[in-house]
Amino acid sequence: MILNSNPIREVIGSLAARLRSAIRSFASRGASKKELENLIRELQRVLIASDVDVKLVSELSKRIREKAKEKPLPGLTVKEHVLRVVYDELVRLVGEGSEIPVKRDVKMVLVGLFGSGKTTTAAKLGYWLKKRGITPTLASLDRDRPAAYEQLKQLGDRMGLETVREIPSPPCIVDTAGRDALDQKMLKEVREVVRKLKPHHVFLVVPAEMGHEAGKQAAAFGELLTAVIVTRMDGSAKGGGALSACASAGVPVAFIGTGERLDDFELFNPKRYVSRLLGWGDIEGLLEKAKEVQSEVKFDPKDLSTLNMLTFYKQMEALTKMGPFEKVLQMVGLTDLDKKTMEGLKAKLKKYKAIIDSMTREERLNPDILSRSRVERIAAGSGTSTSDVRGLLKEFNTMKKMLKGLRGGKLGKYALKKGLKGFKGMKFR
Ligand code: GDP
Ligand code: MG
């Protein structure tokens, strides 16, 4: 493929592929501490290869570890919860993005060092506005370099946009003179343009290959800047470093340049960026799922169809916490679960959680479909034995019977009592 013949693009591609493969490997194994550490380690490698500042990487790792311990949202397994945490933290790492109101009288100024992609970006931005019904004038203020104006004019002509050499009336996009280094002279010039034009936006243009150094540049401009535009995201693996450094310097990234053509340019959307990096479908599916399954975890003792592996687990969990279930226990005179029994129950629950995590959605909602081969797969996936899995299924079915009985009045109460006694007396491995 032609696209793949670009070696730099391959580097970016291979980093993203490494990230995805780390996530896939985490998702296919048990959600143990060891697997989480493996995932974090691979994530760190990829981020550092993308030139993300080491301090930011270590902060991110710490937050992932902490949040991974929190209780998953209803409907999410521990594994899915961890993946969601990773996603959220990556989005947070690359910043917030920036809303660009499209106004009839918009005035934008681009600043940056030579070769950063400023002139190309001025044209791309012009095209971006034009597609939104605004026809800006392009202006080149680079007086020392006539070629700079010529370059912008060529691009402007292609789009039917007027190109001038002085500060124009709005709507307009102003390409300022580039510099070899960010110095006082450059800052002074920028201040001058800002004073004269009073622009809505002053964008610092930085190339992706600048990596985390981009943050220092953005910070040097201080209040003068409204946002950053990172160019050549397609050409350097260090884009992640540039994005995260700007975010950490408190300057939003408004746009990214993703190629040499005029429409290789887009508003920077952190969620979309990270989703693409991780494989769009996976994340979307996961977030959807969290919403969808929420309704499935509401358990109603009067409605047998609300009993599934997830609601069952919740009931057992409640039992160990002496939460709402305590009432039921009192009712049947079973409030005397001793400490040792409780510890055993907790240990068992941990195992059950691993087993349920290894089930597919379909299996969780309808455990009746668990054939022998499915049981074997789940045991292997959760690091338990087939007899553990069958033990869980047996208890699930006991609960089901109890519930059926519960609906039958007096007899139900008896069945419940009997069932719970059986539960209490069960051996914990
Ligand atoms: P300036 O000196 O800051 O005005 O930089 P230019 O606009 O002249 O761009 C320098 C080089 O970067 C040119 O070859 C552009 O085609 C290239 N360039 C700018 N933006 C992008 C981008 O997003 N992707 C790629 N691949 N090249 C870009
Ligand atoms: Mg230029």
Side-chain angles (χ1 to χ4, degrees):
M1 263 181 31
I2 293 174
L3 261 184
N4 283 345
S5 66
N6 178 339
I8 306 177
R9 223 173 246 143
E10 268 168 32
V11 174
I12 311 170
S14 77
L15 285 183
R18 262 174 71 181
L19 198 54
R20 264 174 237 163
S21 116
I23 284 182
R24 222 176 298 126
S25 125
F26 176 79
S28 68
R29 296 189 193 144
S32 67
K33 210 166 171 180
K34 189 175 141 242
E35 293 301 336
L36 176 65
E37 282 309 312
N38 283 342
L39 175 65
I40 291 176
R41 209 171 310 126
E42 190 62 11
L43 194 61
Q44 289 172 336
R45 286 198 195 111
V46 169
L47 292 177
I48 287 179
S50 310
D51 204 39
V52 175
D53 192 271
V54 177
K55 199 170 142 253
L56 293 180
V57 175
S58 107
E59 285 166 5
L60 174 131
S61 313
K62 207 175 135 215
R63 270 200 308 273
I64 291 180
R65 269 186 209 106
E66 273 163 18
K67 289 198 190 165
K69 278 189 233 145
E70 286 170 12
K71 205 168 175 258
L73 278 177
L76 288 191
T77 66
V78 175
K79 253 188 264 178
E80 289 162 343
H81 165 71
V82 170
L83 294 181
R84 221 206 133 136
V85 167
V86 168
Y87 168 80
D88 286 344
E89 285 304 319
L90 286 175
V91 170
R92 185 185 154 126
L93 179 75
V94 296
E96 285 175 15
S98 173
E99 284 289 307
I100 303 294
V102 178
K103 290 194 257 189
R104 303 249 142 243
D105 62 346
V106 72
K107 293 179 277 186
M108 297 173 167
V109 173
L110 300 182
V111 302
L113 302 181
F114 277 137
S116 59
K118 217 154 34 74
T119 304
T120 315
T121 302
K124 286 177 171 181
L125 200 48
Y127 187 55
W128 188 85
L129 282 176
K130 200 180 171 204
K131 281 191 282 187
R132 283 156 184 80
I134 313 272
T135 313
T137 303
L138 306 181
S140 172
L141 299 190
D142 198 340
R143 294 203 178 73
D144 309 331
R145 300 192 160 201
Y149 167 73
E150 286 306 322
Q151 185 195 353
L152 187 63
K153 185 164 172 11
Q154 263 183 26
L155 294 166
D157 286 351
R158 260 167 54 192
M159 297 178 283
L161 296 181
E162 192 188 353
T163 308
V164 300
R165 294 173 117 141
E166 62 285 321
I167 290 186
S169 51
C172 61
I173 297 167
V174 175
D175 181 14
T176 58
R179 295 259 155 226
D180 283 326
L182 206 166
D183 51 18
Q184 284 308 316
K185 206 170 166 213
M186 181 171 181
L187 286 175
K188 194 172 159 241
E189 272 178 16
V190 175
R191 256 185 231 114
E192 189 67 13
V193 177
V194 168
R195 190 179 59 78
K196 282 188 193 148
L197 185 68
K198 298 196 173 46
H200 300 100
H201 289 287
V202 178
F203 295 122
L204 171 68
V205 179
V206 289
E209 66 265 22
M210 186 167 279
H212 76 262
E213 289 291 320
K216 285 187 197 138
Q217 267 204 26
F221 279 91
E223 297 292 290
L224 273 177
L225 290 185
T226 57
V228 170
I229 298 178
V230 183
T231 63
R232 297 202 281 268
M233 285 294 288
D234 56 307
S236 165
K238 292 185 172 183
L243 296 172
S244 57
C246 292
S248 130
V251 190
V253 175
F255 293 94
I256 52 175
T258 55
E260 296 195 47
R261 292 172 325 173
L262 284 177
D263 61 356
D264 291 331
F265 186 70
E266 58 190 78
L267 264 179
F268 177 59
N269 177 332
K271 284 188 178 153
R272 196 184 327 136
Y273 177 78
V274 173
S275 300
R276 259 195 233 151
L277 206 63
L278 300 182
W280 174 251
D282 306 344
I283 296 298
E284 276 301 283
L286 193 57
L287 300 185
E288 275 306 300
K289 194 183 158 188
K291 267 190 260 156
E292 191 179 296
V293 183
Q294 223 141 3
S295 58
E296 289 161 5
V297 291
K298 282 220 175 66
F299 172 63
D300 175 5
K302 285 191 219 91
D303 180 0
L304 208 57
S305 73
T306 61
L307 181 68
N308 57 50
M309 277 294 159
L310 295 171
T311 53
F312 174 66
Y313 180 79
K314 283 209 107 151
Q315 295 306 306
M316 298 229 298
E317 200 180 35
L319 194 65
T320 62
K321 287 185 188 145
M322 299 302 264
F325 219 68
E326 203 173 8
K327 282 193 190 111
V328 182
L329 294 174
Q330 266 169 0
M331 185 174 89
V332 296
L334 259 175
T335 41
D336 59 339
L337 286 176
D338 59 56
K339 214 175 156 201
K340 211 172 141 222
T341 310
M342 207 54 125
E343 292 303 311
L345 190 56
K346 277 186 181 155
K348 191 167 73 166
L349 270 185
K350 221 168 141 185
K351 207 176 242 180
Y352 283 1
K353 182 121 188 72
I355 295 174
I356 295 172
D357 279 355
S358 288
M359 292 181 182
T360 65
R361 184 180 131 86
E362 204 191 351
E363 288 162 353
R364 276 180 214 133
L365 296 181
N366 182 17
D368 286 347
I369 63 171
L370 286 171
S371 59
R372 189 198 167 117
S373 65
R374 282 182 192 242
V375 167
E376 276 165 10
R377 191 207 78 233
I378 291 165
S382 57
T384 61
S385 68
T386 51
S387 71
D388 287 327
V389 180
R390 281 197 208 96
L392 166 63
L393 290 175
K394 199 170 154 223
E395 283 178 26
F396 176 81
N397 287 324
T398 305
M399 174 103 157
K400 205 164 162 181
K401 273 188 209 133
M402 273 160 52
L403 281 172
K404 264 188 194 150
L406 198 60
R407 293 188 306 177
K410 254 192 189 156
L411 192 67
K413 203 165 163 182
Y414 171 75
L416 181 67
K417 192 164 178 167
K418 203 175 149 216
L420 277 173
K421 275 221 168 111
F423 189 66
K424 186 189 160 199
M426 238 167 248
K427 284 210 184 70
F428 303 116
R429 267 156 281 162

